[in-house]
Amino acid sequence: MLTDYQLLRIPGPTPIPPSVERAMMKPMIGHRGNETSQMIQTIKPKLKKVFGTAQDVMMITGSGTSGLEAAIVNVVHPGDKVLVVATGVFGNRFTKICEAYQINVEEFAVEYGKALDPEAIRAHVQANPDIKAVFSTYCETSTGVLNPVGELAQAVHAVSEALVIIDGVSCMGGVETKMDEWGLDVVVTGSQKAFMLPAGLNFIAASERAWKVIEANPQKGFYLNLTKYRDNIAKDTTPFTPALSLLFGLEQVLENFEKEGLENVYARHQLMRDMTRAAFKALDLPLFTSDQDGSPTVTSVKPTDFDAEAFRKEIKSSFNLSVAGGQAEMKGQIFRVGHMGYCAPTDVLQYLGAMEIALIKVGKNIKLGAGVAAAQQVYLEGAK
């Protein structure tokens, strides 16, 4: 096997396009100079389009989790009551961050592999009028579920003044987001997934309603104080030293989005999802989510007649192809395939072909080529 050859098909970090790698290799510049301000001016309107908002999108140097923490510490106070809709491990992460700030958390647990039910959340919020905020993942990375966050916001706002705060880390840039139209109050995403960058940047936007709450909050922290980022981004700068190499890359990513067209980016992710799911069905691999709930960025399988971890080890050793395993209570029970960002239908056909060989090697009785053929058929139908 080639020593430097690897295929990364996990739900993040994801492969980086060569054009973005080249952009990140630009010589360093002063972070308070005109060049940086001009770059931020270029970035700002393009980020707004990805978020579907008229609000400025703030850029914070830090992982996606730091963005989730910023959303929490700016919006709610210690002792406030909030509702976390937990459809998996990363929904539960909201709970853990809230507890670290002595926030009164109620967790609305949803069966792993299923999307949230907006009407059930509406009823719960209506029965608990002291809830100040509702938190949910958009794509639950740990299960491959895409939650109907627009419907969630509509349901919550129909009965409550609670803010709706969304973790979009593992899908934004790969699925359509209409923050303003859907009534989302705070939306967070990260750089290392469908944005095709290394980890280290997160992006946050807040609604006018959310800003009123944030401005009235006396305990917003220091580094994660969103009013500092808002005031600085309005002047085409950042309150603290930004990760400039990642901003170089982000500028290129957004240019790539523009060239492809966001509607085509989203259609490509949908096609890759459909190809992958059709292939797994043809190979008799039990999908962990329904077609309706399955995310365009990650697909999960819960095998019944072979060991998920043995399969992951086999495909890694044979092809240096990395797919993700399960987390928390799903550890060892599922495997997850990322198909987002710098990924095309040809990549889907490649990993499916390798997977078929690995499946036979771990004892799964399949017909070679069945999965690839099913994916090819989906591609042909989608390309009409």
Side-chain angles (χ1 to χ4, degrees):
M1 186 184 298
L2 294 171
T3 55
D4 292 339
Y5 185 78
Q6 67 169 339
L7 299 170
L8 190 62
R9 293 300 165 214
I10 61 175
T14 64
I16 300 169
S19 63
V20 177
E21 291 180 332
R22 291 192 296 270
M24 291 190 297
M25 292 175 65
K26 290 179 183 177
M28 194 52 55
I29 59 177
H31 68 290
R32 297 299 181 214
N34 287 334
E35 290 172 291
T36 298
S37 292
Q38 289 169 5
M39 177 169 57
I40 292 174
Q41 286 175 21
T42 301
I43 287 170
K44 281 166 57 174
K46 296 178 180 179
L47 263 183
K48 289 181 180 182
K49 290 179 182 178
V50 179
F51 273 68
T53 185
Q55 301 292 329
D56 276 336
V57 179
M58 298 159 286
M59 297 172 283
I60 299 178
T61 299
S63 70
T65 301
S66 69
L68 304 184
E69 184 164 343
I72 290 168
V73 73
N74 280 266
V75 169
V76 291
H77 307 171
D80 279 354
K81 184 176 179 180
V82 302
L83 182 69
V84 171
V85 184
T87 53
V89 170
F90 291 93
N92 181 254
R93 181 163 295 183
F94 270 133
T95 298
K96 292 179 179 178
I97 299 171
C98 286
E99 289 174 344
Y101 284 96
Q102 294 79 51
I103 294 162
N104 180 12
V105 187
E106 281 191 3
E107 193 168 277
F108 192 100
V110 178
E111 181 182 348
Y112 279 17
K114 296 188 182 300
L116 63 83
D117 177 359
E119 290 307 309
I121 307 302
R122 180 207 295 261
H124 187 92
V125 171
Q126 192 167 21
N128 294 270
D130 53 343
I131 289 174
K132 301 293 186 182
V134 176
F135 296 87
S136 174
T137 51
Y138 190 175
C139 170
E140 176 49 64
T141 322
S142 67
T143 64
V145 160
L146 191 74
N147 282 308
V149 294
E151 295 175 36
L152 169 68
Q154 184 179 24
V156 170
H157 292 323
V159 297
S160 171
E161 294 298 316
L163 299 181
V164 175
I165 300 168
I166 300 301
D167 165 7
V169 171
S170 65
C171 63
M172 288 182 63
V175 300
E176 187 173 45
T177 305
K178 296 182 177 181
M179 178 178 164
D180 291 353
E181 182 179 325
W182 293 347
L184 307 178
D185 293 300
V186 181
V187 177
V188 181
T189 193
S191 57
Q192 76 276 20
K193 297 182 185 277
F195 271 86
M196 304 179 285
L197 288 163
L201 276 181
N202 62 82
F203 316 115
I204 306 181
S207 68
E208 291 292 341
R209 175 169 40 199
W211 277 120
K212 291 177 182 178
V213 173
I214 293 167
E215 288 166 354
N217 185 353
Q219 299 180 21
K220 292 184 283 287
F222 181 77
Y223 184 73
L224 298 178
N225 184 333
L226 291 182
T227 56
K228 294 179 181 179
Y229 288 89
R230 179 198 59 185
D231 295 345
N232 277 267
I233 200 72
K235 296 181 286 187
D236 301 318
T237 187
T238 57
F240 308 106
T241 307
L244 280 169
S245 294
L246 293 180
L247 290 185
F248 293 153
L250 175 62
E251 184 179 29
Q252 183 63 50
V253 165
L254 294 170
E255 183 179 328
N256 292 352
F257 281 167
E258 199 168 67
K259 286 179 179 178
E260 185 176 358
L262 279 175
E263 68 283 357
N264 296 323
V265 173
Y266 303 146
R268 170 167 53 85
H269 283 79
Q270 188 75 34
L271 177 59
M272 293 189 294
R273 182 199 82 153
D274 293 347
M275 290 172 67
T276 301
R277 294 181 70 86
F280 288 163
K281 290 175 184 177
L283 294 169
D284 190 31
L285 297 179
L287 292 160
F288 192 48
T289 65
S290 68
D291 289 346
Q292 180 180 349
D293 294 347
S295 172
T297 58
V298 54
T299 297
S300 297
V301 172
K302 188 178 182 182
T304 56
D305 53 1
F306 65 93
D307 183 83
E309 289 303 297
F311 169 74
R312 291 180 61 231
K313 289 177 184 177
E314 179 59 47
I315 203 165
K316 177 69 174 176
S317 63
S318 293
F319 300 105
N320 214 6
L321 169 58
S322 297
V323 298
Q327 297 175 292
E329 64 188 68
M330 300 313 300
K331 187 174 179 63
Q333 297 188 49
I334 65 173
F335 66 86
R336 299 173 293 141
V337 183
H339 35 79
M340 71 179 94
Y342 188 53
C343 187
T346 46
D347 296 299
V348 175
L349 297 175
Q350 178 191 47
Y351 67 62
L352 289 173
M355 285 179 175
E356 289 186 355
I357 294 172
L359 286 168
I360 287 177
K361 293 178 77 170
V362 298
K364 174 74 173 175
N365 183 21
I366 65 166
K367 179 182 177 182
L368 277 176
V372 173
Q376 289 172 324
Q377 188 61 44
V378 169
Y379 178 83
L380 288 170
E381 292 171 358
K384 288 178 182 177

